[in-house]
Amino acid sequence: MEAEIESNSYGCFKLWSELELEEFADKLVFKSVESPDQGFCINRFDGNIDKLDDGDGPSGSPTVSSPKVSTVYGVAGTIRLLAGTYVMVITSRKEVGNYLGFPVFLVTSMKFISCNEASRNLTSQEKRDEDYFMTLLRTIESTPGLYYSYGTDITLNLQRRCKLAKGWESKPIWKQGDPRFVWNRNLLEELIENKTGELKLKDSPAIIKIVSRRCTRRLGTRMWRRGANLEGDAANFIETEQLLEFKDRISSFLQVRGSIPLLWEQIVDLSYKPHLQLIDHEHTSMVAERHFNDLLKCYGGCIVVDLTDKHGDEGMLSTAYEEEMQKHPNVRYVSFDFHQSCGHGNFDNIQLLYDEISEDFEEQGYFLLDSEGKILAEQEGVVRSNCIDCLDRTNVTQSYLAQKSLNSQLQGIGAISSTETISMFSEDFEVFKTLWVEHGDEISLEYSGTHALKRDLVRYGKQTFSGVIKDGISALSRYYLNNFQDGVRQDAIDLICGHYTVSRIRPSPLQPKGIDTLSYLPVASALVIGGLTVTSITLNQGRNAQQYLSSVVCAGLTAGLMAVVKANGRQICSRPRLCGLF
């Protein structure tokens, strides 16, 4: 939880927003700055958490004459590794906006503190494992895009929270959340991003917000979490809520995105575009059914917009998806080849997609509340968009549909007339587009490690030269991260989310299981770079036949080395060690 929960006489709960941390040799003591007599402590010998006792202090001799004292802004939770328990604390934060009147904070720094000064006896292999687990914790410490609120639950969209049973808000905040979007129940931290912009339509201020909630059930990195698992949980599944506040009314529009809910993989192997492969499993037919049953239960109707290409590997996957969707008559499936229709500067052709779904889309509507909390309208379904990554093409499409809904919301609440649209107000339209560009960047950074591509299509409606250059840099960065870093990042996510549980009785994840567990990258890189260097030197030494022959031999050996490296690409690339693909 972000901070310890305090109950008052009215049965409401709040979170302490600032805590004093005292580090003793035998315990960590957390005291509320607002109410110093309230807090809790964590035993550094067994990791147990207890309420704060009167005069709580060191029960043994501290390492120094007085405890180390610091201020923290939340306790995200604890995790137990081989050598003991570690507690994660928020060490700095930044207020970035509000959700329904409650401040929302961005975590700007956090750290893990050892709760176990009495080190346990570990074997040499366990020490190596613990070092790797600590590397994963340091990776988590630098994770971007973590947001939280002390005053309200931000995992629930407006429509859902308004329709919950009475008494819901009297529960502790950590019990109110939608479990799909609570980043880790062990740490009780929420992975959520929030963007806010102010519009000045006809001198009548309106506030628009975009809140995206990333599902934790199949959380991971771009290449190591594809498709869905056997329970139907899709990778990179995100619920995006666009909120509009105008005078005494507030409206909400929901969209979702998620990887194609079939069993498929795309294992990195040094190729720029690794081969896509469908996985044959006896329960394959149940995957999509479970996924869409869950969607229908949560959102009502569903329009599926598939933006993948219709040729090559994507075409193969898209065809399998379309065939599967024929088994689900309650879900409307629409295939739209984004690259074919909107490539080469033809972004306006996205109107063709809207024309195809407009009737159903408008029937889904949006959620609307008046000043007294009375429900005036409800959203009757959701659009589920996907491309291969559910990033770039999906960002562009979702921003376009959000613009269409925003026009309806503004017209419905009387902010603009029935003949006007947001695009007619240049300053406000720029705010709207900027919000969606930043929103796309946030999601892309979480999933791929880089900014989104096709940002110019959202901002300008066309691709610019500078945009092409930036996209190229991001694409190269994705290639590097996918191949050489994301295996470790995936392990860090699996560890912190509880998908992998550390235990002394289970086999070490670092024990050799065959030749494919070795890291050949340093050796392979040295051989290829050495071969290229020697070839270059021999080419510059002279022009006689012997030197030409030497250059040809060196070039041939280098090419052979590169072929061997490429053939063993899967063994060279960084890959997760803790959990399997599904």
Side-chain angles (χ1 to χ4, degrees):
M1 57 191 174
E2 292 81 10
E4 181 71 6
I5 293 172
E6 175 186 350
S7 175
N8 61 30
S9 59
Y10 297 99
C12 297
F13 293 82
K14 68 176 183 178
L15 298 176
W16 294 326
S17 59
E18 194 170 336
L19 297 167
E20 181 182 86
L21 168 60
E22 299 176 348
E23 299 182 46
F24 294 101
D26 63 337
K27 66 179 68 176
L28 300 175
V29 178
F30 295 87
K31 296 181 180 179
S32 168
V33 172
E34 180 182 349
S35 305
D37 60 328
Q38 299 185 44
F40 61 99
C41 62
I42 302 178
N43 190 302
R44 301 191 83 160
F45 293 102
D46 56 21
N48 289 335
I49 301 175
D50 298 301
K51 290 183 179 180
L52 191 65
D53 296 327
D54 292 336
D56 217 331
S59 59
S61 299
T63 304
V64 293
S65 57
S66 60
K68 178 181 177 182
V69 180
S70 58
T71 299
V72 298
Y73 301 96
V75 179
T78 62
I79 186 169
R80 187 176 294 274
L81 302 182
L82 294 173
T85 301
Y86 297 80
V87 60
M88 187 181 197
V89 297
I90 299 170
T91 53
S92 65
R93 66 188 181 185
K94 177 183 178 182
E95 185 173 344
V96 293
N98 69 81
Y99 183 70
L100 304 179
F102 295 94
V104 174
F105 295 88
L106 167 66
V107 177
T108 51
S109 67
M110 53 190 174
K111 67 177 181 178
F112 283 91
I113 301 174
S114 172
C115 296
N116 196 340
E117 292 293 339
S119 180
R120 300 173 62 177
N121 295 322
L122 301 180
T123 67
S124 58
Q125 181 62 56
E126 287 175 335
K127 289 179 181 178
R128 288 193 292 271
D129 291 351
E130 189 76 357
D131 288 342
Y132 183 64
F133 294 143
M134 290 303 301
T135 298
L136 302 184
L137 294 189
R138 287 191 290 271
T139 299
I140 291 297
E141 287 178 346
S142 60
T143 298
L146 297 177
Y147 292 73
Y148 68 97
S149 174
Y150 298 107
T152 190
D153 172 43
I154 51 178
T155 68
L156 294 173
N157 62 65
L158 182 63
Q159 178 165 319
R160 186 172 182 186
R161 68 190 293 140
C162 287
K163 300 186 72 175
L164 286 173
K166 291 183 179 180
W168 159 76
E169 290 186 325
S170 67
K171 293 182 178 180
I173 290 178
W174 57 275
K175 285 187 177 181
Q176 297 175 11
D178 185 331
R180 294 177 300 163
F181 306 124
V182 178
W183 183 54
N184 179 261
R185 291 191 180 186
N186 298 323
L187 297 186
L188 295 180
E189 179 57 80
E190 295 157 4
L191 180 60
I192 189 166
E193 64 94 10
N194 178 291
K195 298 295 177 185
T196 304
E198 185 171 339
L199 310 180
K200 299 178 180 178
L201 295 163
K202 300 179 179 179
D203 297 323
S204 297
I207 297 176
I208 181 173
K209 301 176 182 179
I210 301 174
V211 179
S212 279
R213 304 171 177 96
R214 189 178 178 197
C215 184
T216 64
R217 294 176 179 173
R218 189 159 171 74
L219 194 62
T221 58
R222 178 171 171 248
M223 289 298 186
W224 292 112
R225 287 297 176 265
R226 295 295 214 186
N229 58 23
L230 292 175
E231 286 71 42
D233 304 315
N236 204 23
F237 184 85
I238 296 171
E239 175 192 272
T240 297
E241 181 176 23
Q242 179 174 277
L243 290 161
L244 175 66
E245 300 175 18
F246 180 75
K247 293 184 177 179
D248 59 351
R249 296 190 177 186
I250 180 170
S251 62
S252 163
F253 169 66
L254 294 174
Q255 298 185 77
V256 297
R257 70 176 72 193
S259 189
I260 291 177
L262 302 176
L263 298 179
W264 59 281
E265 64 182 12
Q266 192 175 18
I267 305 300
V268 291
D269 59 0
L270 297 180
S271 300
Y272 181 70
K273 285 189 176 182
H275 177 60
L276 290 170
Q277 183 175 348
L278 282 164
I279 297 174
D280 187 21
H281 191 279
E282 59 180 338
H283 297 300
T284 296
S285 60
M286 299 293 294
V287 172
E289 180 179 351
R290 289 169 176 168
H291 178 78
F292 286 106
N293 284 343
D294 188 46
L295 280 189
L296 294 174
K297 181 180 179 181
C298 289
Y299 303 104
C302 184
I303 304 171
V304 174
V305 175
D306 179 15
L307 303 166
T308 54
D309 296 346
K310 304 309 168 194
H311 59 273
D313 281 358
E314 283 195 26
M316 174 270 297
L317 184 59
S318 180
T319 297
Y321 191 21
E322 185 170 5
E323 291 174 354
E324 181 62 36
M325 293 310 300
Q326 293 175 1
K327 305 174 185 176
H328 305 279
N330 294 331
V331 178
R332 183 180 177 191
Y333 172 83
V334 177
S335 179
F336 183 78
D337 189 330
F338 186 95
H339 286 150
Q340 177 70 28
S341 300
C342 299
H344 308 293
N346 296 319
F347 175 65
D348 289 343
N349 285 344
I350 199 170
Q351 178 68 38
L352 299 175
L353 169 62
Y354 184 74
D355 290 342
E356 188 171 355
I357 67 172
S358 59
E359 185 175 347
D360 289 340
F361 178 77
E362 291 167 7
E363 285 182 0
Q364 287 183 350
Y366 54 88
F367 184 74
L368 179 62
L369 281 179
D370 66 11
S371 59
E372 298 178 353
K374 181 181 179 181
I375 298 175
L376 303 179
E378 295 186 32
Q379 185 170 337
E380 302 293 342
V382 71
V383 176
R384 183 200 192 278
S385 304
N386 74 268
C387 45
I388 287 297
D389 297 332
C390 302
L391 293 179
D392 311 315
R393 287 170 278 182
T394 300
N395 289 335
V396 175
T397 302
Q398 284 201 337
S399 69
Y400 187 83
L401 296 178
Q403 179 185 338
K404 292 292 187 180
S405 179
L406 180 60
N407 288 333
S408 297
Q409 293 174 64
L410 291 171
Q411 292 167 2
I413 62 180
I416 60 177
S417 71
S418 60
T419 59
E420 292 175 317
T421 63
I422 184 66
S423 61
M424 296 179 180
F425 303 87
S426 58
E427 185 177 340
D428 296 320
F429 193 37
E430 186 63 29
V431 171
F432 171 81
K433 292 186 292 184
T434 300
L435 285 177
W436 273 94
V437 169
E438 293 177 350
H439 161 264
D441 280 343
E442 288 273 359
I443 292 176
S444 183
L445 283 167
E446 290 292 340
Y447 194 49
S448 71
T450 74
H451 289 94
L453 309 183
K454 299 180 173 66
R455 303 164 82 236
D456 284 357
L457 292 183
V458 177
R459 178 160 281 166
Y460 308 116
K462 61 181 180 180
Q463 191 73 287
T464 65
F465 179 74
S466 63
V468 171
I469 298 299
K470 291 177 181 177
D471 283 358
I473 294 173
S474 291
L476 290 175
S477 297
R478 283 185 184 181
Y479 173 82
Y480 173 79
L481 293 171
N482 294 163
N483 283 277
F484 306 123
Q485 287 194 3
D486 279 357
V488 172
R489 198 157 67 100
Q490 183 64 54
D491 278 347
I493 293 170
D494 287 333
L495 176 65
I496 217 67
C497 286
H499 298 157
Y500 178 88
T501 302
V502 176
S503 172
R504 299 191 75 180
I505 64 174
R506 70 188 305 169
S508 166
L510 305 185
Q511 284 182 344
K513 299 175 183 177
I515 194 170
D516 65 338
T517 64
L518 301 176
S519 175
Y520 294 109
L521 180 59
V523 175
S525 299
L527 289 174
V528 171
I529 293 173
L532 291 172
T533 301
V534 172
T535 301
S536 177
I537 292 173
T538 57
L539 283 172
N540 292 323
Q541 280 182 341
R543 300 295 180 184
N544 59 50
Q546 183 178 358
Q547 288 162 338
Y548 270 123
L549 179 61
S550 297
S551 298
V552 170
V553 171
C554 288
L557 290 174
T558 301
L561 283 172
M562 294 177 69
V564 171
V565 168
K566 178 63 178 68
N568 293 275
R570 289 197 177 191
Q571 286 72 41
I572 293 172
C573 292
S574 170
R575 59 201 177 279
R577 303 166 184 247
L578 303 186
C579 298
L581 292 177
F582 299 99

